Amino acid sequence: MCIGRFLENAWNIATSDPRKVIHGVKAGIALTLVSVFYYMKPLYDGVGGNSTWAVMTVVMVFEYSVGAIVSKSFNRMIATFLGGSAGVGVHWIANQCGEELEPVILQASVTILAAAAAFSRFIPSVKSRFDYGVMIFILTFSFVSVSGYRVDKLLELAKDRASTIVIGTSICIFTSMFIYPVWAGRELHNLTYKNLERLADSLDGCVTEYFKENEENNGRKHEGYKFVLNSKATEEFMASMARWEPAHGSFKFRHPWKQYLKVGASMRSCAYCVETLGGFINSEVQAPELLKKHMREACMMLSTSSSNVLRELAMTTKTMTRSTKTQFFVQDMQFAVQSFQDVFKHLSKQALLLTEHEAVKENTAQKTKTVPIMAIFPITTMATLLIEITERVKSIVVEVENMATQADFKENKA
Amino acid sequence: MCIGRFLENAWNIATSDPRKVIHGVKAGIALTLVSVFYYMKPLYDGVGGNSTWAVMTVVMVFEYSVGAIVSKSFNRMIATFLGGSAGVGVHWIANQCGEELEPVILQASVTILAAAAAFSRFIPSVKSRFDYGVMIFILTFSFVSVSGYRVDKLLELAKDRASTIVIGTSICIFTSMFIYPVWAGRELHNLTYKNLERLADSLDGCVTEYFKENEENNGRKHEGYKFVLNSKATEEFMASMARWEPAHGSFKFRHPWKQYLKVGASMRSCAYCVETLGGFINSEVQAPELLKKHMREACMMLSTSSSNVLRELAMTTKTMTRSTKTQFFVQDMQFAVQSFQDVFKHLSKQALLLTEHEAVKENTAQKTKTVPIMAIFPITTMATLLIEITERVKSIVVEVENMATQADFKENKA
């Protein structure tokens, strides 16, 4: 049963994103390529028994995106070199100090460097870029400094180790870049414009759901904002990996990946508001139908104008082409806010009459249905939230425009 | 300059959380203990040249929390055993098939298993618990199946490898559990009640900031909700590590760690609302001073009653003792909502008079300052948001009560 469900789960993942299957196949190919070194005699002689290390390199380094592989490869190479050098250095120093002090110096150096390395992994700048490198550094350093080898034997070992790592990482980078490459940068780019679309859909969905006349279900289309809320970690990981990638597709070498994080943050700020708005849809306190009917058009206009801006930004990001329409849509949104406020002024006068009427009835002790003033609160809140959302959409516009400038988006010739 | 800032950064981290320094020292101790095997002759003979693997085990497995170390140790042991067995099995089968087929079978098995393993890391249930294990499995399997060793040599190697892993992981677990242990479970527990406190502080802070009479700055105390918004990944990681930990302190073996995630989710849902509320504090459209003064007391009462509930929940969680006061505070909050609505009814009548007055003035064409009806929107929104927050606080109450039941919290005897 359990295995059945597991396989079903795996099958669903495989069919929903075939690139994950391709990643598996690529990993298989990379490992096969490296294990070829065990079978081809001349190569075997060249790299020797250390080919174990080439296999290990491939297994440890082969990640999903090109950026992650390049990052780990770089970390592994540099850290092995630094760790090895430091090890040889300490070894040499310990050797000079005589037989008695030697183990003490070696042991102390391992303890101190291991402690420093373990601590350094808490420093954010180290953690985000060199986490794997620190681990490999201390690993290599420990191997070298505590091994009983003499220095000349160590140098020979170092040469072997270096060649296995170069072979392992080259195979990984080659496989990842030339067989259906998955670029962290492109993933981040796609995630960003898809999140803009999701936000637009959620906003439309929420408002439509609130004002729907019959009980049709719109299929929870408006829950896309949840995805936006939970994208922070993914965005940060992708952005930090994307920095390691060479130019690919429309992305130049120094593409402003950090700016995507700012766009993401402004999107989340907007999504918080949409989440709050969504909370009111299923709220028990609903505005009276009459009022809702009255407000429907103005609210829809407001949300549609905001989501139009979001969709235009998504399109700008997707096509990497500045759109002349964005400013038009922003003005449209401003206009919607203005006309919304007019409707409200009009409404508040009506509500006034309604309450007056109510007061009169109370005095004459007639029992008729009256609309409590509290009933207009859900709709004023909705109004204020929608207006707040337009404000937050404007800051997304600013961040996307910064991105367009920094990344040198094409001008629209249409 | 750059190094100076880096060191300053490191120093700040060290002074703000000395446990991170202790972790570094512990890592140093663990690595020193394991490298002792290289120096103590009798032990050296026992474990042989493979002690490299013990060092590697310590470097790879030594994480911050006990749970993470136990999880990785378990993964490493089981995966090495399974990978080794599978490798020996394939080796044996390949051997039986004759010299020509042997490399083909070995190669094919590596490719297929590596692909399957790489793909399996995308399956959430594998990713969260056995990510490291899958890596070690494929590593060991590749080593064994592609190595040219005969089976009897392999078994000897397996014995060595097993003993180094046992030594390495034992040292790690011992060091992590007996020297200033950091339990993922306790961390999660602390994070949860601290986040409840942060949420209470933010709520109070936001409302105080909004209604403050003079321009004093309350030191951004109300920004704690941002921490709550960003705790999701940490909570999930901690909860998944806590499951590997033995009973410690007040936490039994089957403590309901998953329930903490539900509490976390309900807190975030509340934090979204607080975030939206916070957005209105610095909003340009402010309610007129008169209105604010009028509402001040009712709003403060509402927010204080909500934050009292949150603080009581924090205390319940912190002391792991059910509080009889929680229900009292919830009723208090309900009462605040009720009296808030009364104030509003009263206010709306006043607003009514105000507008009537305004209308009269318009008719007589007198030019005096009038309060536009739009001006009450910020305050009605604030009202609705505060009431929505009380709703969301109630769902936190439910989740914390579920936690109290599942974790068998003590009854308060006071």
Side-chain angles (χ1 to χ4, degrees), chain A residues 55 112 152 370:
Chain A
V55 169
I112 292 167
D152 53 346
T370 53

Side-chain angles (χ1 to χ4, degrees), chain A residues 24 31-32 35 39 52 60 106-107 111 115 143 272 275-276 344 348 352 356 373-374 377 380-381 384 392, chain B residues 24 32 35 39 52 60 106-107 111 115 142-143 272 275-276 341 344 348 352 356 373 377 380-381 384 392:
Chain A
L31 208 53
T32 308
S35 62
Y39 291 108
T52 326
M60 300 306 264
L106 288 176
Q107 220 31 284
T111 312
F143 280 175
Y272 296 145
E275 204 275 349
T276 312
F344 245 97
S348 52
L352 175 84
E356 260 188 328
I373 191 85
M374 287 296 288
F377 288 175
T380 59
T381 305
T384 323
R392 298 192 179 191
Chain B
T32 309
S35 62
Y39 291 108
T52 327
M60 299 307 264
L106 288 175
Q107 219 32 283
T111 311
S142 310
F143 279 175
Y272 295 145
E275 204 274 350
T276 311
Q341 286 174 338
F344 245 96
S348 51
L352 175 86
E356 258 187 328
I373 191 84
F377 288 174
T380 58
T381 304
T384 322
R392 298 193 179 190

Side-chain angles (χ1 to χ4, degrees), chain B residues 11-244:
Chain B
W11 178 254
N12 289 342
I13 290 170
T15 46
S16 70
D17 191 356
R19 293 189 311 164
K20 288 176 178 168
V21 180
I22 295 174
H23 169 73
V25 175
K26 279 161 69 179
I29 292 173
L31 207 52
T32 309
L33 286 177
V34 82
S35 62
V36 158
F37 284 100
Y38 282 84
Y39 291 108
M40 290 171 72
K41 199 75 177 127
L43 280 167
Y44 188 89
D45 291 343
V47 187
N50 276 311
S51 1
T52 327
W53 292 95
V55 170
M56 185 177 277
T57 302
V58 171
V59 172
M60 299 307 264
V61 156
F62 206 84
E63 292 281 334
Y64 187 51
S65 66
V66 177
I69 291 176
V70 173
S71 157
K72 275 197 154 180
S73 301
F74 176 84
N75 265 292
R76 194 174 177 100
M77 276 195 267
I78 301 294
T80 306
F81 175 75
L82 288 180
S85 310
V88 172
V90 167
H91 220 71
W92 184 82
I93 292 171
N95 244 322
Q96 303 294 310
C97 295
E99 201 144 309
E100 257 173 48
L101 272 177
E102 194 179 342
V104 178
I105 290 175
L106 288 175
Q107 219 32 283
S109 70
V110 167
T111 311
I112 292 168
L113 272 176
F119 173 72
S120 78
R121 293 175 67 199
F122 289 114
I123 302 168
S125 54
V126 174
K127 178 88 193 164
S128 72
R129 294 200 218 179
F130 307 115
D131 194 49
Y132 184 65
V134 169
M135 203 182 242
I136 296 297
F137 171 84
I138 198 64
L139 190 63
T140 314
F141 178 79
S142 310
F143 279 175
V144 175
S145 67
V146 300
S147 71
Y149 294 128
R150 278 165 302 127
V151 173
D152 53 345
K153 173 89 204 251
L154 272 177
L155 290 177
E156 195 188 309
L157 193 75
K159 212 189 70 194
D160 278 4
R161 193 64 53 87
S163 65
T164 55
I165 288 179
V166 168
I167 290 167
T169 54
S170 308
I171 288 175
C172 284
I173 294 176
F174 176 85
T175 317
S176 70
M177 271 169 69
F178 296 103
I179 307 175
Y180 289 100
V182 175
W183 303 97
R186 176 160 287 288
E187 295 291 295
L188 176 61
H189 184 83
N190 293 356
L191 180 71
T192 302
Y193 81 73
K194 276 179 191 157
N195 273 354
L196 282 166
E197 284 168 359
R198 282 189 187 108
L199 207 52
D201 287 345
S202 299
L203 185 56
D204 279 348
C206 278
V207 177
T208 315
E209 174 95 4
Y210 186 79
F211 287 108
K212 72 177 178 211
E213 277 162 349
N214 38 27
E215 287 299 308
E216 88 266 29
N217 199 323
N218 65 355
R220 300 249 159 218
K221 202 187 173 188
H222 61 80
E223 298 214 328
Y225 67 85
K226 287 188 184 164
F227 201 92
V228 180
L229 289 175
N230 297 331
S231 294
K232 189 170 190 266
T234 316
E235 280 170 13
E236 277 169 4
F237 179 72
M238 297 281 191
S240 105
M241 290 305 125
R243 287 187 295 183
W244 295 93

Side-chain angles (χ1 to χ4, degrees), chain A residues 72-86:
Chain A
K72 275 197 155 180
S73 300
F74 176 84
N75 266 292
R76 193 174 178 100
M77 276 196 265
I78 300 296
T80 306
F81 175 75
L82 290 180
S85 311

